[in-house]
C-alpha cells in the first residue's frame, strides 16, 4: 500500500470511529482532514511507526509532499508562502541557519517547526499558532525580514495578483496573514487579517510625498454626516434617486459606507482612497472592487467610479 492510500485509509477508519466529524455539517466537514497536530493519537498520519522519528515519515521522507497531501486548500488550508523552490531572488546565503533547507530547497519545515507537536501533550502556543521559526516577532512583517531584505521589497509588485484569471495566492502574504476568500461577502468590520495596522501595510513600500493630496486626511475620522453622504454616493448609480433623498435614507437606516473601507479604528487610511487589489480579483458585485486597476496603475488606484475621488466623501 502506498503511503497515500495508507493515509486515506487511516483517515477513513478515523472517520468511522469518530462520528463527531459526520455531524450536522456533514457535506462540509467530510472534506476536512482531521487535525493531526493537536491530537497525540494521530502520530501515524505522518509517521509509519507510532513512536515517530524522522526516518519513519510517510511519502518516503519527502516532507513537503506529506504536508501537501492535506494542505491542498480543500482538506486543510494551503501554504501562504511559496515552497519547494531553490532560492534565487532571496540568496540562499541570506537565509539564517535556524531555517533549514531541504536538499537545497526552501520547504515547509524551513519555516514551520512541527517537532513540538510530536511531543505529545505540547500544544503550539497561541501567540505562535503556526509554529514559525526564529522566535517571536513584534509584528508579522518582521518575520519576513529574516530572509527578505527591506530594500528588496520594492521590486515585488504586490498589486499583481492574478495569473490567467486566478489569484496568485503568494502575493496575498505581503498584506494579509492568510489567503482571504475572494467570494466571501464583505465583512462588516475590518477583519481582513491585515499584517499591520492602518497605513502600516502600505508604508513598508510606499512613502508619501509632502504634496500628496491633503496629508491631513490620514487618521481623520469622518463625521456621521459624511458617512451618510458616502453611503448615498455609492448607492446612487443603482438607485437613480436624487442624492438628498439617498442621504436621508442612509441617515435614517444608519447605513455604513461599503465601497470605502476605513481602518480598524474607523479612520481614513491609505486604502480608503486607494484600492490595493488588481482588477478582477474581487467580483464586480463586491463594492470593494470599485477602483481596482490592472497590475500597473492607470489612475493611481483611486476608489471611484468616474475617476473623481474627492466627491465620494465631500459634498463640495
Ligand atoms: C503533521 C505530521 C506529524 C505528526 C502528526 C507527528 N509528527 Fe513527528 N515528525 C514530523 C516531522 C516532519 C518530523 C521531522 C522534523 C524535522 O526533522 O525537523 C518529525 C519528527 C519526529 C521525531 C524526531 C524528533 C527529533 O527531535 O528529531 C519524533 C520522535 C516524532 N516526530 C514523534 C512523533 C510522535 C510521537 C507523534 C504523535 C504524538 C508525532 N511525531 C506526530 C511530523 C509529524
Ligand atoms: C492528515 C492531514 C495533515 C497533514 C499530513 C499535515 N497537516 Fe497541518 N493541519 C491539518 C489540519 C486539519 C489543520 C487545521 C486546519 C484548521 O484548523 O483550519 C492543520 C493545521 C496546520 C497549521 C496551522 C496551525 C493552526 O493551528 O491552524 C500549520 C502551520 C500546519 N498545519 C503545517 C503542517 C506541516 C508543516 C505539515 C507537514 C509536516 C502538515 N501540516 C501536515 C492537517 C494536516
Ligand atoms: C526562511 C526564509 C524566508 C522567509 C522567512 C520568508 N521568505 Fe519569502 N521567499 C524566500 C525564498 C527563498 C523565496 C524564493 C524566491 C526565489 O528565489 O525565487 C521567497 C519568495 C517569496 C515570494 C515570491 C516572490 C516572487 O517572485 O513572486 C513572496 C511574495 C515572498 N517570498 C514573501 C514573503 C513574505 C510576505 C514573508 C513574511 C511573511 C516571507 N516571504 C518570508 C525566503 C523566505
Ligand atoms: C518562508 C516561510 C514559509 C514556508 C516555506 C512555508 N510557510 Fe506556511 N506560513 C508561513 C507564514 C509566515 C504563515 C502565516 C502566519 C502569519 O502570517 O501569521 C504561514 C501559514 C501557514 C498555514 C496557516 C494558513 C492559514 O490560512 O491559517 C499553513 C497551514 C501553512 N503555513 C502550511 C505550510 C506548508 C504545508 C508549507 C509547505 C508546503 C509551508 N507552510 C511553507 C511561512 C512559511
Ligand atoms: C497591497 C496589499 C494587499 C494585497 C497584496 C492583497 N490585499 Fe486583500 N486587502 C487589502 C486591504 C488593505 C484590505 C481591506 C480593504 C479592502 O477591502 O479593500 C483587503 C481586503 C481583502 C478582502 C476583503 C474585501 C471585502 O469585501 O471587504 C479580500 C477578500 C481580499 N483582500 C483578498 C485578497 C487576496 C485573495 C489577495 C491575494 C491574491 C489579496 N487580498 C492581496 C490589501 C491587500
Ligand atoms: C484622501 C485620499 C487619499 C489618501 C488618504 C491617500 N491617498 Fe495616495 N493619492 C490620492 C490621490 C487623489 C492621488 C493622485 C495624486 C495626483 O493626482 O497627483 C494619490 C497618489 C498616490 C500615489 C501615486 C503618486 C505618488 O505620490 O507616488 C501613491 C503611491 C499613493 N497615493 C500612496 C498612498 C499611501 C501609501 C497612502 C497612505 C499613507 C495614501 N496614498 C493615502 C489620494 C489619497
Ligand atoms: C511589497 C511592496 C508594496 C506594498 C506592501 C504596497 N505597494 Fe503599492 N505599489 C508597489 C509597487 C511595486 C507599485 C508599482 C506598480 C504600479 O505601477 O501600480 C505600487 C503601486 C501603487 C500605487 C499606484 C502608484 C501610481 O503611480 O499611481 C498605489 C496608489 C499604491 N501602490 C497603493 C498601495 C496601498 C494603498 C498599499 C497598502 C494597502 C500598498 N500600495 C502596498 C509596491 C507595494
Ligand atoms: C475617504 C473620504 C475622503 C476622501 C476620498 C477625501 N476626503 Fe477630504 N476629508 C475627509 C475627512 C474625513 C476630512 C476631515 C473632515 C473634518 O475633520 O471635518 C477631510 C478634510 C478635507 C479638507 C480640510 C483639511 C483640513 O486641513 O482641515 C480638505 C481641503 C479636503 N478634505 C480636500 C479633499 C480633496 C481635494 C480630496 C480629493 C483629492 C479629498 N478631500 C478626498 C474625507 C475625505
Amino acid at each position: 500500500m502506498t503511503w497515500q492510500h495508507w493515509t486515506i485509509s487511516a483517515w477513513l477508519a478515523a472517520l468511522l470511529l469518530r462520528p463527531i466529524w459526520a455531524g450536522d455539517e456533514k457535506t462540509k466537514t467530510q472534506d476536512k482532514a482531521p487535525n493531526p497536530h493537536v491530537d497525540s493519537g494521530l502520530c501515524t498520519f505522518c509517521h509509519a511507526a507510532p513512536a515517530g522519528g524522522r526516518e519513519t515519515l510517510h511519502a518516503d521522507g519527502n516532507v513537503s509532499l506529506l504536508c501537501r497531501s492535506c494542505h491542498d486548500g480543500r482538506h486543510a488550508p494551503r501554504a501562504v508562502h511559496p515552497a519547494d523552490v531553490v532560492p534565487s531572488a532571496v540568496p540562499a546565503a541570506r537565509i539564517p541557519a535556524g531555517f533549514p533547507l531541504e536538499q537545497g530547497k526552501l520547504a515547509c519545515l524551513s519555516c514551520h517547526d512541527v517537532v513540538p507537536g510530536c511531543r505529545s501533550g505540547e500544544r503550539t502556543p497561541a501567540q505562535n499558532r503556526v509554529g514559525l521559526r526564529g522566535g517571536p516577532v513584534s509584528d508579522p512583517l518582521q518575520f519576513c525580514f529574516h530572509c527578505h531584505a527591506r530594500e528588496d521589497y520594492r521590486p515585488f509588485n504586490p498589486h499583481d495578483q492574478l495569473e490567467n484569471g486566478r489569484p496568485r495566492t503568494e502575493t496575498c502574504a505581503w498584506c494579509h496573514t492568510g489567503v482571504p476568500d475572494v467570494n466571501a461577502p464583505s465583512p462588516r468590520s475590518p477583519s481582513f487579517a491585515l499584517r499591520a495596522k492602518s497605513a502600516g501595510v502600505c508604508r513598508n513600500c510606499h512613502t508619501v510625498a509632502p504634496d500628496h493630496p491633503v496629508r491631513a486626511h490620514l487618521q481623520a475620522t469622518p463625521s456621521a454626516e459624511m458617512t451618510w453622504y458616502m453611503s448615498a454616493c455609492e448607492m446612487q448609480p443603482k438607485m437613480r434617486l436624487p442624492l438628498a433623498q439617498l442621504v436621508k435614507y442612509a441617515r435614517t437606516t444608519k447605513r455604513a459606507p461599503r465601497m470605502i473601507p476605513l481602518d480598524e479604528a474607523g479612520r481614513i487610511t491609505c486604502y480608503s482612497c486607494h484600492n490595493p487589489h488588481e482588477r478582477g480579483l474581487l467580483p464586480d458585485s463586491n463594492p470593494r472592487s470599485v477602483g481596482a486597476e490592472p497590475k500597473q496603475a492607470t489612475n493611481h488606484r483611486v476608489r471611484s467610479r468616474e475617476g473623481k475621488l474627492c466627491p465620494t466623501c465631500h459634498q463640495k
Side-chain angles (χ1 to χ4, degrees):
M1 217 180 332
T2 68
W3 66 273
Q4 211 159 13
H5 285 121
W6 191 91
T7 313
I8 288 162
S9 49
W11 190 343
L12 286 176
L15 268 170
L16 293 171
L17 288 169
R18 309 261 309 254
I20 196 162
W21 290 319
D24 294 333
E25 291 183 308
K26 205 170 174 182
T27 43
K28 222 174 129 193
T29 49
Q30 260 174 352
D31 265 3
K32 289 251 162 76
N35 186 340
H37 308 285
V38 295
D39 189 333
S40 55
L42 296 181
C43 316
T44 49
F45 274 91
C46 297
H47 297 282
R54 170 98 209 196
E55 60 294 339
T56 68
L57 288 168
H58 294 302
D60 295 326
N62 182 336
V63 182
S64 287
L65 196 60
L66 169 66
C67 308
R68 284 187 206 272
S69 71
C70 290
H71 290 283
D72 58 358
R74 200 165 85 100
H75 301 102
R78 202 193 297 268
V80 299
H81 190 279
D84 303 319
V85 285
V86 177
S88 62
V90 172
R94 184 177 282 138
I95 301 174
F99 295 77
L101 300 179
E102 304 245 318
Q103 277 128 30
K105 288 182 182 167
L106 186 77
C108 313
L109 294 185
S110 306
C111 295
H112 295 282
D113 185 6
V114 299
V115 171
C118 295
R119 303 197 189 102
S120 33
E122 269 185 59
R123 300 284 293 268
T124 333
Q127 69 272 26
N128 191 4
R129 190 180 54 86
V130 301
L132 293 181
R133 295 186 190 271
V137 284
S138 53
D139 122 30
L141 264 171
Q142 288 302 324
F143 174 78
C144 317
F145 299 127
H146 282 302
C147 303
H148 294 274
R150 276 190 187 266
E151 61 273 21
D152 285 353
Y153 240 19
R154 286 171 186 279
F156 290 113
N157 179 1
H159 309 290
D160 178 2
Q161 297 163 350
L162 292 169
E163 196 165 339
N164 304 322
R166 296 178 60 90
R168 296 182 57 210
T169 50
E170 72 273 17
T171 61
C172 316
W174 288 116
C175 300
H176 296 280
T177 61
V179 180
D181 179 1
V182 292
N183 293 314
S186 231
R188 287 290 158 116
S189 55
S191 53
F192 315 110
L194 291 171
R195 231 164 233 300
K197 292 216 160 108
S198 201
V201 276
C202 316
R203 285 227 156 107
N204 291 297
C205 298
H206 293 287
T207 47
V208 168
D211 60 348
H212 189 276
V214 206
R215 292 223 305 175
H217 278 103
L218 282 175
Q219 311 211 325
T221 306
S223 62
E225 204 47 46
M226 189 185 266
T227 63
W228 314 144
Y229 169 77
M230 286 156 75
S231 262
C233 282
E234 68 183 45
M235 284 188 281
Q236 205 182 28
K238 274 194 192 145
M239 313 285 275
R240 293 168 199 286
L241 286 171
L243 199 57
Q245 221 166 311
L246 290 170
V247 172
K248 211 167 147 194
Y249 169 83
R251 193 185 295 126
T252 323
T253 55
K254 296 200 164 41
R255 185 190 183 280
R258 295 180 191 154
M259 189 180 116
I260 306 263
L262 300 171
D263 73 6
E264 54 288 323
R267 301 167 309 189
I268 291 182
T269 185
C270 315
Y271 51 79
S272 308
C273 294
H274 298 286
N275 195 325
H277 296 127
E278 184 172 349
R279 188 193 294 150
L281 180 75
L282 300 183
D284 291 349
S285 56
N286 186 330
R288 293 284 160 79
S289 68
V290 171
E293 295 187 351
K295 62 183 176 185
Q296 298 299 329
T298 51
N299 185 31
H300 309 298
R301 310 189 176 281
V302 293
R303 288 195 196 258
S304 81
R305 281 202 186 77
E306 270 95 39
K308 288 202 196 77
L309 178 67
C310 319
T312 55
C313 296
H314 290 289
Q315 204 161 3
K316 272 176 273 179

